Amino acid sequence: MIYFHQVNKHYGDFHVLKDIHLTIEQGEVVVIIGPSGSGKSTLVRCINRLETITSGELIVDGVKVNDKNTDINKLRRNIGMVFQHFNLYPHKTVLQNITLAPMKVLGVPEKEAKETAMYYLEKVGIPDKANAYPTALSGGQQQRVAIARGLAMKPKIMLFDEPTSALDPETIGEVLDVMKTLAREGMTMVVVTHEMGFAREVADRIVFMDQGRILEEAPPEQFFANPSEERARLFLSRILNH
Amino acid sequence: MLNYSILIEHWDMYMQGFANTLKASVLALIGSLAIGTVMAVFRIAPVRPLNWIGAAYVEFIRNIPLILIVFVFFVGLPAIGIRFDSFTAGTLGLTVYTAAFIAEVIRAGILAVPKGQMEAARSSGLTYLQAMWYIILPQAVKIVIPPMGNQFINLVKNSSVLGVIAGLDLMYFGDLISSETFVTFDVYIFVAMFYLLLTIPLSLGVGALERRLARSR
Ligand SMILES: Nc1ncnc2c1ncn2[C@@H]1O[C@H](COP(=O)(O)OP(=O)(O)OP(=O)(O)O)[C@@H](O)[C@H]1O
Ligand SMILES: [Mg+2]
């Protein structure tokens, strides 16, 4: 589904992603962890070409992401993205936030788009907020709307970049619950997070990054019990003991 | 005491001038908003040649006097066979000139919209133009209302450039009445009042809009 082969990325002189090899199969949930600045966001954002790679090969859903002939908008239909700061459209209601892309990108009629939106709002547990504006919602509710917005496009892949990092502790759980349900239903997910409980529970694989490299890649049981990399061990002890 | 008989005797001329100033202002406003928005998007779009066109337009136009731009339409283009009446030439010049300033205002507004908005829109499959139109510009509009109000007021005042090329606006008729009656001060005071009749409501309207949008946020 997602295939990185010898991918490198530079910001000018700065080498952000170094020789990335990573394969993610359909239905897999992959959690990416690592210290700040290690390139986690950059890696995830390459998948839907919010960032472009400098060299190597990146194939998503059978399409070469950086090929000249790739219709990126078409590829992006199949890839939902959830951001740390939600990025809901403040001038649109919750319902409008969710129906916009299905209507404008897929050409779904308004009535059907609204029904789909309501279906996903039910799913994330806030159908009563359909006509509210994002600013009237708590962080956790906004993030659930953002997830519903992504799902309404019926994507094959969902990308999450620290979806709970900007949330109050008491609302983190409600977002993680939605993500766990998604994972159980077989969505292909790439998740950057510091929520180790979530990683342990639903990840098929943990990818540990440091300084632009993937240092370790292992199932959670193995990774948490016995990380083979010294730096991963250090990172874990820091994150689990605070 | 002002000589009101001048106003009464030349009422038709004042009215015609007022109507034309209003008309030129409204047309130039619509035109410059359209051109200004296009140029602002050109300057920001991820397409180099468009960036250059946008930047060249703004830097070139806003750094030459308005009257010169009007002359391009009034005497320059006619020299190569494209002819306009003086009202049209003046309004076109005004439009082209104001668009450069409006482009800068809109560009600043677009840049003030958080980057994540464009990213969210694009990652959902919207094209760049769709994202601009549905997501970025509506938010930019709120941000740019105060500076845009200033540009509109400048536009109304700058429309007096039509007077120079006999564009049948307020300024033109003011000059005409003054040369007929040999009265200067009073004639132009009345002209000024008619300008204020346009600019003060505009100013108040922008203020009210600003407050309303501030509340709705
Ligand atoms: N547009 C950019 N230009 C230059 N450098 C950048 C840019 N974006 C990111 N970087 C740098 O690239 C490195 C990796 O950034 P990235 O955001 O991918 O890290 P991260 O692992 O997601 O970190 P965090 O946990 O803080 O979110 C950082 O050192 C960052 O400063
Ligand atoms: Mg990050």
Side-chain angles (χ1 to χ4, degrees), chain B:
Chain B
M1 196 53 212
L2 283 173
N3 184 351
Y4 283 100
S5 63
I6 294 221
L7 179 62
I8 293 159
E9 278 164 32
H10 297 87
W11 182 254
D12 288 351
M13 284 182 166
Y14 274 117
M15 276 327 306
Q16 199 187 337
F18 181 72
N20 281 331
T21 290
L22 179 62
K23 193 169 145 199
S25 299
V26 170
L27 290 174
L29 191 150
I30 295 168
S32 57
L33 265 180
I35 300 175
T37 305
V38 170
M39 288 303 157
V41 173
F42 272 20
R43 282 200 84 170
I44 289 168
V47 185
R48 276 286 165 76
L50 293 184
N51 299 163
W52 294 328
I53 295 174
Y57 183 89
V58 168
E59 292 308 332
F60 189 69
I61 299 293
R62 75 170 174 179
N63 288 309
I64 51 178
L66 167 59
I67 186 85
L68 266 181
I69 300 171
V70 171
F71 277 173
V72 167
F73 288 98
F74 191 57
V75 293
L77 293 181
I80 58 166
I82 307 170
R83 233 156 263 291
F84 306 102
D85 61 51
S86 50
F87 176 85
T88 309
T91 305
L92 283 173
L94 193 59
T95 304
V96 166
Y97 178 77
T98 309
F101 293 87
I102 288 188
E104 282 303 271
V105 169
I106 293 179
R107 183 172 76 114
I110 292 173
L111 292 177
V113 175
K115 220 171 96 247
Q117 292 290 308
M118 180 56 97
E119 289 182 352
R122 290 307 307 275
S123 64
S124 73
L126 294 174
T127 65
Y128 181 82
L129 285 180
Q130 284 176 321
M132 260 298 157
W133 186 252
Y134 295 112
I135 304 304
I136 306 300
L137 286 177
Q139 295 181 61
V141 162
K142 280 192 186 183
I143 298 168
V144 302
I145 279 172
M148 196 62 95
N150 289 336
Q151 293 306 328
F152 289 174
I153 289 167
N154 283 340
L155 165 66
V156 173
K157 294 188 292 182
N158 286 339
S159 71
S160 60
V161 74
L162 267 76
V164 180
I165 55 166
L168 308 181
D169 70 322
L170 264 175
M171 205 61 205
Y172 168 79
F173 281 108
D175 291 341
L176 196 64
I177 298 166
S178 166
S179 62
E180 273 180 16
T181 58
F182 303 106
V183 176
T184 50
F185 187 77
D186 297 48
V187 168
Y188 288 114
I189 286 288
F190 293 128
V191 168
M193 284 173 159
F194 279 110
Y195 276 110
L196 290 174
L197 209 57
L198 290 174
T199 50
I200 288 179
L202 191 56
S203 185
L204 293 176
V206 169
L209 194 61
E210 205 181 317
R211 278 190 301 279
R212 225 186 71 191
L213 289 176
R215 241 180 295 126
S216 82
R217 197 152 12 197

Side-chain angles (χ1 to χ4, degrees), chain A residues 11 14 16 35-42 162:
Chain A
Y11 283 120
F14 184 61
V16 213
S36 179
S38 56
K40 308 180 297 290
S41 297
T42 309
E162 303 205 24

